[in-house]
Amino acid sequence: MQPAQRRAYERRPIPAVAVLITVLAAAGLGGCTGSDSTPGPDDGASGDSGTAVSAEPGRYRTLPEACGAVSRKNLQALLPGAEQDDKVYEGQAAVTYDIDRRDGCRWKVETPSGTRYLTIDFQRVVSYDPSVSDDDRAQETYEERATAADIPDATSSPSTPSASSSRSESGGASDSGSSSASPGSSSDEPGKGDNSNKSGKDGKTDSGDKGTGTPSSGADASGGSDESDTASADTAPRRLDDLGDDAFLNDQLITKDSGIHRDITVVFRSSNVIATIEYDQWTTDKKHIPSSQELQGKAQDLADELTGRLNE
């Protein structure tokens, strides 16, 4: 009888333990289910953070190769006399560490009548602020350039001549710009207003030229020139309304002891790319002022070609 009683004793607590375990498990599971199914106060916020929208990237992800962006025909027009040395047309590539962000090229031709320089620069602007698009950042950069060059706003004058109107204009040379640009205003532009750099172009030192290397009106700069070079609305520094998304043209006539030069700068923005053209003519003959109309027309023709290159 003793073994039977022991077996009964051992079986008696099993049902109670199983019930207790079942109850506790059910209670615990129910508590966990309730806490998970009840939305917390931060649930909505976490969902909103995933829907944040960044500003759109710019249209361009790469840049054209600068030294190959200008056609041979255009180079022949911009650099008369270069046909004597075909290597001139190859240009000199700018030093850059990322050609998809910046690229440039420079050409130079020397002739008995003077020296001409052509420089082009492409800059692809990227905004690192997710709330500002590449286009908007590029427009800010462009406006800073226009302000630094003292280019008047499009609304500051009754009319803004278009690029095509100035190119089709015929007649004598006219002053481009020094009358409306204050001395030193071009110092913030790449390659402009830097007398030491400009002097280096023609191989002359600037020790005796700095005092006279300032923008001036055509009448003052001519020194008895036999050409008429008075300022006009068609050739003065201005905004261009038919080139890219935004564009301006600057024209400066500068005299030095070593000679006289006219510097044409065309800057235009197409989406998130800013293109800069610098076209200069130097001469030691102060009686023959480089023509605004000729140089501006050729620079704007090149700008038209470069807009097409960007869209290829």
Side-chain angles (χ1 to χ4, degrees):
M1 296 299 294
Q2 189 68 23
Q5 289 177 353
R6 186 175 180 179
R7 287 194 296 270
Y9 177 79
E10 290 175 346
R11 291 193 190 103
R12 191 176 301 122
I14 294 174
V17 172
V19 171
L20 180 59
I21 292 174
T22 302
V23 171
L24 291 175
L29 182 60
C32 293
T33 303
S35 62
D36 288 343
S37 60
T38 304
D42 296 333
D43 286 354
S46 62
D48 292 342
S49 63
T51 60
V53 179
S54 298
E56 292 186 5
R59 182 192 313 165
Y60 303 105
R61 302 298 180 89
T62 60
L63 293 172
E65 192 270 317
C67 286
V70 187
S71 67
R72 178 67 171 258
K73 179 180 178 181
N74 233 338
L75 285 174
Q76 288 174 336
L78 290 158
L79 305 171
E83 61 273 5
Q84 303 298 325
D85 183 2
D86 271 1
K87 290 185 178 180
V88 171
Y89 295 123
E90 296 176 2
Q92 181 179 358
V95 177
T96 180
Y97 299 98
D98 185 352
I99 59 174
D100 286 334
R101 288 293 303 275
R102 193 145 201 170
D103 198 16
C105 194
R106 180 174 181 266
W107 295 263
K108 172 185 176 181
V109 60
E110 295 181 88
T111 66
S113 60
T115 305
R116 297 203 188 197
Y117 301 88
L118 172 66
T119 304
I120 63 174
D121 175 83
F122 295 119
Q123 178 186 3
R124 184 171 67 90
V125 180
V126 176
S127 172
Y128 295 101
D129 185 344
S131 65
V132 180
S133 69
D134 292 347
D135 280 26
D136 289 342
R137 183 68 72 202
Q139 186 174 26
E140 291 175 5
T141 303
Y142 163 83
E143 287 298 339
E144 289 171 359
R145 295 277 304 277
T147 300
D150 289 340
I151 304 300
D153 293 336
T155 57
S156 64
S157 59
S159 62
T160 303
S162 65
S164 57
S165 65
S166 63
R167 273 174 278 184
S168 62
E169 184 83 15
S170 61
S174 56
D175 178 52
S176 47
S178 37
S179 60
S180 60
S182 59
S185 64
S186 63
S187 60
D188 293 328
E189 294 184 64
K192 292 288 185 287
D194 185 346
N195 291 330
S196 61
N197 182 47
K198 291 295 185 180
S199 297
K201 285 182 177 179
D202 57 5
K204 301 186 185 306
T205 61
D206 61 353
S207 58
D209 294 342
K210 284 185 176 179
T212 57
T214 57
S216 60
S217 67
D220 294 337
S222 63
S225 169
D226 57 0
E227 296 185 30
S228 172
D229 200 41
T230 57
S232 72
D234 289 333
T235 57
R238 62 196 182 277
R239 306 267 177 165
L240 304 176
D241 58 9
D242 60 352
L243 182 62
D245 296 318
D246 298 291
F248 72 79
L249 181 149
N250 197 17
D251 184 331
Q252 289 192 316
L253 184 67
I254 301 175
T255 56
K256 292 185 175 185
D257 293 343
S258 57
I260 185 170
H261 61 99
R262 186 177 294 283
D263 301 341
I264 307 295
T265 303
V266 176
V267 178
F268 69 88
R269 179 185 70 86
S270 181
S271 184
N272 61 317
V273 170
I274 298 176
T276 303
I277 298 169
E278 295 178 352
Y279 185 41
D280 310 338
Q281 181 179 356
W282 290 60
T283 179
T284 56
D285 185 357
K286 297 182 181 180
K287 293 184 177 181
H288 294 84
I289 300 174
S291 168
S292 281
Q293 300 240 329
E294 178 202 351
L295 300 183
Q296 287 190 24
K298 290 180 177 179
Q300 291 176 74
D301 286 341
L302 174 57
D304 288 339
E305 180 179 19
L306 295 185
T307 58
R309 294 291 188 192
L310 288 173
N311 294 323
E312 287 180 349

